[in-house]
Amino acid sequence: MSVEKVNGTEDHYPANNTTSAVLTVRDKAFARRIVCEEHTGIWCGFCPRGIVGLELMKEAHPDHFIPICIHSGDDPMVISPDTDYSYSMFIESCVGAPYCNVNRRLSGDPYLDIDRLYKLESESENHIAIETSASWNNDGTISVKSIYLSDIDIETPALSIAYTLTEDGIRGYAQTNYYAGGRNGEMYGWEEKTDPAVDVTFNDVARGIFGGYTGMPLPTEPMRAYTRYKHEYTIQVPPSVSDKTKLHVIGQIIDSKSNQIQNAMSTSVEGDIPNHVENIG
């Protein structure tokens, strides 16, 4: 910036009429993305409000709110607890359904509490960034790459990483609906649906958390500010997946001591599904 006139008069001291500043732009990977893990099920009559709550949050915060819907019990979308990619640890921690954890730090109702929990978590301090990409391999697996970094030096990092596979657009299952007929008030049209409701589309359905619920340990060597570190992983797509064109991979950096999610990124799977791999799982 240069000052050439003072109060409309030529500046007689040109030696001090110029100044400069350095503008630092934070890496876009540091965007604070909030993960909401929701416990739900088609057997749960009040869970339609969870469906509504998460859809409203996605509309309001499309770039920063990441929902993961975890079905349990007698539900065709449940992940078998016998797999190493199940959410059993999360389900066991829930007091009921619908119920959600926000970054595994704050808990509550995915309709009544979610906006408040999201705002609280958005205001919390964050030093970890992550960028995740995913692409199809020729053998039908998914190759995942993540870049993670910190904006401060961390001498003894205690971090882990996990990848959740979610699927959108699932239909054909009836959802128990305690809002039918308006007997529990209005709920964005669910009061006009039957019980059970049969015209339901399920989105953000968890098909597995790869690396486990607590994640895979990352190196413990000191992390230097703004140094980019890489992690790679291969996902074996579970047979439960219905439509491989509607998958997302969510990379999550987790604090190994608290099991809280520090940051995350959701990405679609790029590339063409190999011809020899059927789309329908």
Side-chain angles (χ1 to χ4, degrees):
M1 181 178 68
S2 177
V3 177
E4 298 180 354
K5 291 185 178 182
V6 178
N7 295 328
T9 304
E10 294 293 334
D11 183 9
H12 297 295
Y13 302 96
N16 68 353
N17 70 358
T18 301
T19 187
S20 63
V22 176
L23 176 64
T24 301
V25 179
R26 204 179 195 205
D27 193 310
K28 66 178 181 179
F30 283 93
R32 187 65 158 147
R33 305 183 192 96
I34 309 301
V35 174
C36 174
E37 295 170 316
E38 183 215 20
H39 179 209
T40 186
I42 63 171
W43 45 266
C44 168
F46 284 112
C47 283
R49 74 168 180 260
I51 295 174
V52 170
L54 299 192
E55 289 295 336
L56 291 174
M57 289 297 293
K58 286 196 297 181
E59 291 178 9
H61 311 282
D63 299 323
H64 299 92
F65 181 76
I66 303 175
I68 300 173
C69 301
I70 300 150
H71 290 247
S72 73
D74 186 14
D75 187 309
M77 290 172 281
V78 69
I79 305 169
S80 171
D82 296 330
T83 66
D84 57 6
Y85 51 80
S86 81
Y87 267 94
S88 296
M89 187 178 297
F90 167 74
I91 293 171
E92 291 168 0
S93 73
C94 296
V95 298
Y99 184 80
C100 72
N101 277 347
V102 173
N103 278 357
R104 304 182 187 172
R105 229 185 295 257
L106 305 169
S107 301
D109 186 283
Y111 176 77
L112 300 173
D113 303 322
I114 188 58
D115 186 61
R116 175 179 58 85
L117 299 179
Y118 173 85
K119 290 177 179 177
L120 284 172
E121 188 59 15
S122 297
E123 295 168 356
S124 65
E125 188 176 38
N126 171 50
H127 294 290
I128 301 297
I130 182 173
E131 292 180 329
T132 298
S133 61
S135 59
W136 287 104
N137 294 321
N138 290 332
D139 61 358
T141 61
I142 298 174
S143 178
V144 185
K145 296 180 181 179
S146 286
I147 300 295
Y148 64 98
L149 60 156
S150 170
D151 63 355
I152 59 173
D153 290 340
I154 304 178
E155 294 301 322
T156 55
L159 301 172
S160 60
I161 192 167
Y163 298 103
T164 296
L165 188 67
T166 62
E167 182 179 355
D168 290 337
I170 300 174
R171 297 183 62 84
Y173 302 124
Q175 172 69 52
T176 305
N177 177 23
Y178 289 171
Y179 295 94
R183 65 180 186 263
N184 281 292
E186 296 182 356
M187 184 49 66
Y188 288 83
W190 280 83
E191 68 277 7
E192 299 174 3
K193 297 181 184 293
T194 58
D195 182 18
V198 295
D199 59 338
V200 182
T201 299
F202 298 92
N203 295 316
D204 310 298
V205 175
R207 293 307 196 182
I209 181 163
F210 297 87
Y213 185 64
T214 58
M216 298 166 278
L218 291 171
T220 56
E221 289 80 8
M223 291 178 64
R224 297 309 173 202
Y226 295 103
T227 298
R228 300 168 77 84
Y229 302 90
K230 182 168 68 174
H231 184 268
E232 297 182 325
Y233 187 79
T234 299
I235 293 176
Q236 303 286 336
V237 179
S240 58
V241 169
S242 301
D243 190 339
K244 294 181 173 66
T245 67
K246 297 180 180 179
L247 295 177
H248 286 83
V249 176
I250 302 164
Q252 301 147 81
I253 296 289
I254 302 168
D255 185 314
S256 301
K257 295 179 179 179
S258 65
N259 200 34
Q260 295 173 350
I261 297 172
Q262 303 300 293
N263 213 338
M265 180 177 175
S266 177
T267 184
S268 56
V269 185
E270 300 296 328
D272 296 328
I273 302 171
N275 293 331
H276 61 277
V277 177
E278 293 184 4
N279 181 44
I280 304 302

